[in-house]
Amino acid sequence: MKLSKRSLAIKPSITLALAAKATAMRAEGIAVINFAAGELDTDTPERIKRAAIEALNRGMTKYTEVRGIAPLREAIAQKYKDEFGLEYSSDQVLVSCGGKHSLYNIFQAMLDEGDEVIIPAPYWVSYRDIVLLSGGVPRIVKGSGRDDFRLTPEGLKAALGPRTRALILNSPNNPTGVAYHREELLALSRIVEAHGCLIISDDVYEKIVYDDFEFHNIVTVNPPLKERTVIVNSMSKTYAMTGWRIGYAVGPVPLLSAAGKIQSQSTSNPTSFAQAAALEALHGPDDELKELVRGLQPRRDAIVERFNAMEGVECNRPEGAFYVFPSIRSLLGKQGKKGTIASASDLSNFLLEEAQVVAVPGEDFGSPEHIRFSYTVPMNDIHKGCDRIETALKKLG
Ligand code: GLU
């Protein structure tokens, strides 16, 4: 069957595919350890679930305003005022079916054929394909800086050109967990200031930071850039709400209105009662969030330590999110049971077969010498998984 060039230009999301594979293997009785899931291992807090149930019982089962119910948009605008002193009106907020959908709508509204979008690598797998689906040209800029994972002012300057329409910043980053410090963002902001492109700040991991790291985005460090920045955020990671599919974007009215128009002709409103749950999430106390981050930090420390103790593996210590992205460069060229380990994918397959451990190879993150491990699994499983990986790696010749 003839398929569109657009659909043929993209791949299915590998993060979702591997997380599903791990679940399927478990269902078959295979004792896999799932380091692939990009979500928390806790359930959505009770108060949030209750808000959805109450909304259903009240009959909140009909269409809502396409861009999201007014109280939710107001609460989102208020969050930015309370947390960062940034003023947005509720007209500057568009609620969509997850952060990914927000990005999709924004890029559809922004790009024409051939417009370039700068994507610093390593990058979250969907940026590249969403840009392609929107007719844009992904301009991948390899990270350098302290840990090889950061966009530097020099790298950014070299990538900006006459066709550059936008820059994506994602801090804390998926898949590396790296987060930009204030000074780093300020230096990047000086470069884009001079160019005039739009900035998409994907802040979905803003609340998951460790060791007293202070979160900033490009607007909080350089407020005049607010006029041409879209901040994308979501309920998924902060409130353990991945399945509810609620994300949002805040930014300039013309762009968000165009994105809203696209939403009105595709999904219509995000699910009505999930919006009620999101409103409760934003209003609630943040103790549960602090608790969550407190629970993740020792797991980060343990997995970083375990990887660095393995021969041939090097792992940075991320500031945030819940991923580590160890380098397996030194293991490439070694021999496994089925032949040479030539790539991160080969090593991931080897680990799946030898150690029953599922993790996401770096190729689709723009980094073929790394593998992403999500450490949102119980501490016991982190150790069990690392024991198995260590044993398996010793079998490489
Ligand atoms: N963002 C998560 C991940 O990277 C969830 C899956 C996805 O949408 O990519 O694993």
Side-chain angles (χ1 to χ4, degrees):
M1 185 188 288
K2 182 191 171 300
L3 296 172
S4 70
K5 289 195 188 84
R6 275 190 314 281
S7 77
L8 294 172
I10 64 162
K11 300 191 210 170
S13 164
I14 189 155
T15 49
L16 295 177
L18 281 176
K21 180 168 184 166
T23 309
M25 286 174 77
R26 268 220 187 119
E28 283 168 27
I30 305 168
V32 287
I33 297 185
N34 181 7
F35 289 113
E39 62 187 348
L40 294 166
D41 58 343
T42 48
D43 195 2
T44 306
E46 277 308 314
R47 65 179 176 92
I48 298 175
K49 292 203 271 187
R50 241 188 343 262
I53 293 164
E54 280 162 18
L56 279 171
N57 288 339
R58 283 200 301 279
M60 193 178 177
T61 55
K62 304 284 190 263
Y63 291 129
T64 73
E65 216 182 316
V66 167
R67 58 191 175 153
I69 54 173
L72 179 55
R73 284 184 290 107
E74 281 155 18
I76 291 166
Q78 191 65 40
K79 163 196 152 68
Y80 282 94
K81 185 161 171 47
D82 295 345
E83 293 180 10
F84 305 111
L86 295 172
E87 297 276 354
Y88 290 101
S89 69
S90 57
D91 283 350
Q92 291 181 278
V93 180
L94 172 65
V95 183
S96 300
C97 310
K100 191 184 288 185
H101 188 219
S102 301
L103 288 163
Y104 183 84
N105 289 332
I106 294 293
F107 281 117
Q108 286 288 335
M110 172 197 295
L111 297 179
D112 279 319
E113 291 297 318
D115 284 346
E116 286 185 8
V117 178
I118 296 179
I119 306 178
Y123 49 80
W124 175 47
V125 293
S126 293
Y127 295 147
R128 186 183 160 277
D129 288 343
I130 292 176
V131 168
L132 287 172
L133 276 177
S134 312
V137 179
R139 178 93 156 82
I140 310 297
V141 181
K142 214 176 143 356
S144 53
R146 280 186 274 137
D147 39 28
D148 268 3
F149 288 153
R150 285 164 209 268
L151 177 66
T152 59
E154 299 72 40
L156 176 57
K157 202 169 182 173
L160 283 165
R163 305 275 350 223
T164 308
R165 182 81 178 105
L167 159 71
I168 302 182
L169 287 175
N170 172 219
S171 169
N173 171 273
N174 176 3
T176 64
V178 154
Y180 289 95
H181 292 263
R182 194 176 191 289
E183 301 66 40
E184 291 170 321
L185 282 171
L186 197 59
L188 293 173
S189 79
R190 296 289 176 230
I191 309 289
V192 273
E193 233 174 28
H195 182 279
C197 67
L198 292 162
I199 303 147
I200 312 301
S201 183
D202 179 351
D203 295 358
V204 301
Y205 297 98
E206 66 171 353
K207 300 288 186 197
I208 305 176
V209 290
Y210 309 110
D211 305 319
D212 303 321
F213 178 88
E214 210 180 314
F215 169 82
H216 295 281
N217 67 26
I218 201 153
V219 179
T220 64
V221 304
N222 191 340
L225 287 178
K226 179 167 169 268
E227 305 311 317
R228 52 193 171 92
T229 301
V230 180
I231 300 175
V232 172
N233 211 328
S234 132
M235 299 292 135
S236 293
K237 316 291 176 173
T238 313
Y239 300 102
M241 289 178 72
T242 43
W244 299 76
R245 309 313 302 137
I246 298 287
Y248 57 88
V250 298
V253 170
L255 184 52
L256 287 183
S257 303
K261 194 164 62 175
I262 288 161
Q263 182 159 303
S264 81
Q265 294 291 16
S266 49
T267 57
S268 312
N269 60 276
T271 302
S272 54
F273 49 90
Q275 292 185 61
L279 182 59
E280 169 59 32
L282 287 172
H283 277 157
D286 62 0
D287 321 358
E288 65 214 353
L289 188 61
K290 288 195 184 123
E291 187 64 33
L292 184 118
V293 175
R294 258 201 302 275
L296 285 170
Q297 182 154 335
R299 298 191 241 176
R300 175 204 60 169
D301 294 344
I303 201 164
V304 169
E305 196 178 310
R306 292 294 311 257
F307 277 129
N308 281 326
M310 290 179 205
E311 181 98 28
V313 183
E314 251 181 81
C315 187
N316 75 310
R317 194 181 154 82
E319 289 92 349
F322 39 63
Y323 309 108
V324 285
F325 201 50
S327 163
I328 48 92
R329 195 173 301 146
S330 311
L331 299 173
L332 299 180
K334 295 209 176 238
Q335 294 301 312
K337 250 193 210 153
K338 293 197 171 158
T340 309
I341 303 289
S343 62
S345 285
D346 289 346
L347 190 63
S348 300
N349 286 332
F350 171 79
L351 291 178
L352 183 59
E353 283 175 22
E354 283 291 322
Q356 284 79 51
V357 154
V358 188
V360 189
E363 282 89 342
D364 288 3
F365 297 106
S367 204
E369 297 178 336
H370 294 81
I371 299 182
R372 189 189 81 171
F373 291 78
S374 167
Y375 50 87
T376 55
V377 296
M379 191 63 115
N380 274 349
D381 281 359
I382 290 183
H383 285 296
K384 207 194 294 174
C386 287
D387 288 345
R388 290 191 197 170
I389 294 170
E390 206 158 25
T391 309
L393 293 183
K394 286 190 183 134
K395 295 186 188 157
L396 289 175

